[in-house]
Amino acid sequence: MSQHSTDPAPNTGLATVAGHRDWWRDAVIYQVYPRSFADSNGDGMGDLEGVRSRLSHLRDLGVDAVWLSPFYASPQADAGYDVADYRAVDPMFGNLMDADALIRDAHAHGLRIIVDLVPNHSSDQHEWFKRALAEGPGSPLRERYHFRPGKGENGELPPNDWESIFGGPAWTRVADGEWYLHLFAPEQPDLNWNHPAVGDEFRSILRFWLDMGVDGFRVDVAHGLVKADGLPDLGTHDQLKLLGNDAMPFFDQDGVHAIYRQWRTILDEYANRKGPEGPSSEGRWWETGGQIFVAEAWTPTIERTALYVRPDELHQAFNFQYLGTHWDAAELRAVIDTTLDAMRPVGAPATWVLSNHDVTRHTTRFAHDRALGTQIREAGDTARGLRRARAATLLMLALPGSAYLYQGEELGLPDVVDLPDDVRQDPAFSRGEGQDGFRDGCRVPIPWTRTGSSYGFGDGGSWLPQPEGWGDLSVEAQRGVAGSTLELYRTALAARRDHPDLGAGESVEWLKAPEGVLAFRRGEFVCVANTTNEPVTTPAYGDILLASTELTIANGETKLPADTTVWWTTG
């Protein structure tokens, strides 16, 4: 008997979010990179109105919430992660009225909205920093950043040996001779979280957006706010090679946790407020409360990550160790076990992710036989990459906890690895000895239609060039097509929502499986993933709920193709 991966998911038109305060424990959250999602005014740049116009796609996909990358007022030195005004929308994306309309419409579709918060650094065009420069050494405004005199006879050397994540020294000298710290681009001066005004300001910013109706915050560089006392030298070069593996004086300092405990009291206050009641446009009742924080926290171990999600701190933290794991059964099982073991004592859900705006899409990462890191400039075997990516997604969605999807992965989009150098805008690309600078490849605007200007992204082209054949991967080309990646995602999310043993949880029961195969049970649900390059024979555990590729069952056994995941229901 031949089994197919999926038929098109029914379009129920219903909101997907249950109105409960612990929604985040099993939520599937979709990341929108606004400049690359949809362009409403034909200027080649995505915007908030474009996002609003495509909310029905996200509702029909079956996600629970939408995380928006920064849309704040910004000079765009680092694609909006250099914020000049945290309470304003950059004109390229619209205005505050557009943000308000987007939040309201998302709620009407049954979708929650999470916004990016960038507390580690501001833009050098932020009013605080501009005044700090103008007022000179000794200015009270300079105390809100990390200004220091330099070393050397005339202060010509940086205050310490820290290196920027984007390459080069982490210090820039200003005209009056002092230096300021920037762990990223020079246009992103680090804020000094030892100064009380910084904490006061961000607590006010949180309240501003909560009053606008947002449902949470993704905290950028959550591990970086506090620096070691005295800003000590690290004593080594090539510091990027140590990130995520070693303790660093500028990352994952224990002092960050006091900040997040203060923030949590604000969200708890809002959760206890009684808000307006009434049915959404789909007839669901929207409950106030349930706002969350999710941390972008690169730490040396999963156990260190777990400290960010203790009961009185943040709610979720991205599992970057899982994101960086190659398509290998033994490696995946080790990370899954370590993650669940680390999260269980603090009562937090595991938070799984395979792609985002800073790393090569997993369709391209898995196109290679060996791990090449998270920024790759080689296409690899694209058919194998897509096959593995589909299987990896089903494996991720079967695990206990919450999951994050990155825009376009539901279309099976690969990274665009051959962008001309002269169109790249990643600030790390032009800085030596920093990140590879190839993040533009995962940020190419996504295709909505088979043909037309920028494949339906907008009427005026796209800010990064889209490759030929992009239309064949579009929403229009895949919607309603049995076996398409879009329909696989829609069916998987519907099944995940409906099956009582999927979603939230804290453990899996591992089953005996051939080498290179992962098999686990969760109640009356079984997931089996073949990570090898060859077909394997496994038991038929019950009725097939979903499979990432076509497979065959005969005489109680399953012929599981290479790079395939299958979901079984045993009840």
Side-chain angles (χ1 to χ4, degrees):
M1 175 173 65
S2 178
Q3 297 285 332
H4 292 273
S5 58
T6 175
D7 290 322
N11 182 358
T12 64
L14 292 177
T16 61
V17 176
H20 60 87
R21 295 183 182 226
D22 286 343
W23 63 275
W24 44 275
R25 290 190 172 275
D26 62 358
V28 176
I29 299 174
Y30 185 101
Q31 180 189 0
V32 164
Y33 193 68
R35 25 165 88 212
S36 300
F37 193 67
D39 171 20
S40 70
N41 60 8
D43 66 356
M45 186 71 66
D47 47 47
L48 295 184
E49 184 60 28
V51 178
R52 185 183 174 204
S53 73
R54 297 293 187 177
L55 286 173
S56 60
H57 169 73
L58 303 180
R59 176 201 63 204
D60 294 345
L61 184 62
V63 300
D64 300 300
V66 179
W67 153 34
L68 297 165
S69 292
F71 51 80
Y72 306 112
S74 166
Q76 304 295 320
D78 183 23
Y81 283 94
D82 50 317
V83 181
D85 187 343
Y86 290 87
R87 297 177 181 82
V89 174
D90 194 279
M92 75 163 55
F93 298 123
N95 55 44
L96 281 174
M97 294 297 291
D98 296 319
D100 179 74
L102 173 56
I103 294 166
R104 291 175 181 271
D105 276 13
H107 287 174
H109 281 81
L111 299 166
R112 296 181 186 263
I113 290 291
I114 296 171
V115 298
D116 233 308
L117 187 69
V118 188
N120 179 70
H121 47 262
S122 75
S123 165
D124 63 352
Q125 298 304 302
H126 190 285
E127 190 61 31
W128 280 7
F129 192 79
K130 291 194 296 183
R131 287 176 55 194
L133 289 184
E135 293 176 9
S139 160
L141 267 297
R142 290 206 175 187
E143 296 177 7
R144 299 181 186 186
Y145 294 90
H146 294 279
F147 279 88
R148 296 288 188 277
K151 293 181 178 179
E153 183 177 351
N154 298 304
E156 70 277 9
L157 300 176
N160 69 18
D161 65 359
W162 294 1
E163 297 171 1
S164 165
I165 307 303
F166 287 168
W171 296 88
T172 289
R173 198 177 192 186
V174 300
D176 55 46
E178 284 200 327
W179 297 73
Y180 69 88
L181 175 68
H182 53 87
L183 291 179
F184 295 88
E187 296 88 351
Q188 295 168 291
D190 278 49
L191 290 156
N192 177 13
W193 274 86
N194 290 325
H195 195 290
V198 176
D200 290 345
E201 171 69 355
F202 275 88
R203 287 190 293 273
S204 174
I205 292 167
L206 290 175
R207 292 181 183 279
F208 178 88
W209 288 102
L210 288 167
D211 289 340
M212 284 276 290
V214 303
D215 302 288
F217 302 88
R218 176 264 189 185
V219 184
D220 184 61
V221 195
H223 55 299
L225 276 57
V226 173
K227 280 66 174 176
D229 290 343
L231 309 185
D233 284 341
L234 192 56
T236 183
H237 295 289
D238 295 327
Q239 294 169 13
L240 281 181
K241 296 178 181 178
L242 305 177
L243 293 180
N245 299 306
D246 291 62
M248 310 292 280
F250 45 78
F251 280 161
D252 193 32
Q253 297 294 302
D254 289 338
V256 298
H257 299 289
I259 297 168
Y260 299 135
R261 285 192 289 272
Q262 290 181 347
W263 287 11
R264 182 61 179 264
T265 63
I266 295 175
L267 256 61
D268 289 346
E269 171 195 330
Y270 275 77
N272 292 325
R273 289 185 179 182
K274 183 175 177 59
E277 296 179 348
S280 73
S281 61
E282 279 78 26
R284 299 229 175 175
W285 290 85
W286 192 266
E287 180 182 349
T288 59
Q291 294 93 343
I292 69 165
F293 291 115
V294 56
E296 182 207 29
W298 292 87
T299 66
T301 67
I302 294 174
E303 290 79 6
R304 290 290 300 179
T305 302
L307 298 179
Y308 289 77
V309 290
R310 288 175 287 192
D312 61 344
E313 294 191 38
L314 308 181
H315 298 76
Q316 297 180 334
F318 292 129
N319 190 340
F320 292 121
Q321 285 83 0
Y322 185 78
L323 182 150
T325 302
H326 194 52
W327 183 238
D328 176 87
E331 293 180 24
L332 287 164
R333 177 168 175 172
V335 172
I336 292 168
D337 281 341
T338 301
T339 299
L340 295 174
D341 289 346
M343 296 299 154
R344 197 176 298 117
V346 296
T351 303
W352 313 100
V353 61
L354 288 168
S355 287
N356 64 36
H357 66 292
D358 280 333
V359 300
T360 297
R361 290 182 178 274
H362 63 283
T363 306
T364 298
R365 293 204 315 275
F366 291 155
H368 301 269
D369 267 337
R370 57 190 179 87
L372 296 177
T374 58
Q375 288 196 18
I376 300 172
R377 206 177 184 182
E378 302 171 15
D381 184 333
T382 56
R384 179 174 59 191
L386 178 59
R387 188 171 64 247
R388 288 178 172 178
R390 288 163 57 102
T393 295
L394 287 196
L395 173 61
M396 177 183 74
L397 292 174
L399 294 171
S402 178
Y404 278 73
L405 309 178
Y406 177 53
Q407 66 177 41
E409 71 171 81
E410 76 275 19
L411 306 177
L413 297 186
D415 245 56
V416 181
V417 297
D418 57 355
L419 287 170
D421 290 352
D422 61 354
V423 305
R424 292 187 178 275
Q425 299 189 33
D426 185 344
F429 183 71
S430 59
R431 293 174 62 85
E433 301 178 0
Q435 291 179 335
D436 291 333
F438 300 136
R439 294 179 298 173
D440 293 314
C442 67
R443 300 175 178 183
V444 173
I446 66 175
W448 294 94
T449 58
R450 292 179 184 271
T451 59
S453 173
S454 63
Y455 303 104
F457 169 68
D459 295 332
S462 62
W463 68 282
L464 284 172
Q466 300 160 301
E468 289 187 30
W470 214 229
D472 294 337
L473 298 173
S474 67
V475 174
E476 180 183 48
Q478 297 192 48
R479 183 188 291 121
V481 177
S484 70
T485 301
L486 174 58
E487 293 301 335
L488 176 70
Y489 270 71
R490 292 183 64 197
T491 305
L493 292 179
R496 188 181 193 273
R497 185 169 61 252
D498 293 341
H499 198 289
D501 293 315
L502 285 174
E506 59 179 29
S507 63
V508 300
E509 175 192 350
W510 292 108
L511 304 175
K512 184 177 180 181
E515 185 177 357
V517 176
L518 290 173
F520 61 84
R521 182 186 302 276
R522 298 183 64 194
E524 295 183 347
F525 170 86
V526 171
C527 177
V528 182
N530 177 12
T531 70
T532 74
N533 292 322
E534 302 293 335
V536 296
T537 300
T538 68
Y541 287 95
D543 296 325
I544 289 183
L545 190 60
L546 186 59
S548 62
T549 58
E550 187 173 305
L551 48 88
T552 302
I553 302 174
N555 302 319
E557 291 186 330
T558 308
K559 192 77 167 181
L560 193 61
D563 302 319
T564 296
T565 297
V566 58
W567 288 2
W568 301 89
T569 182
T570 63

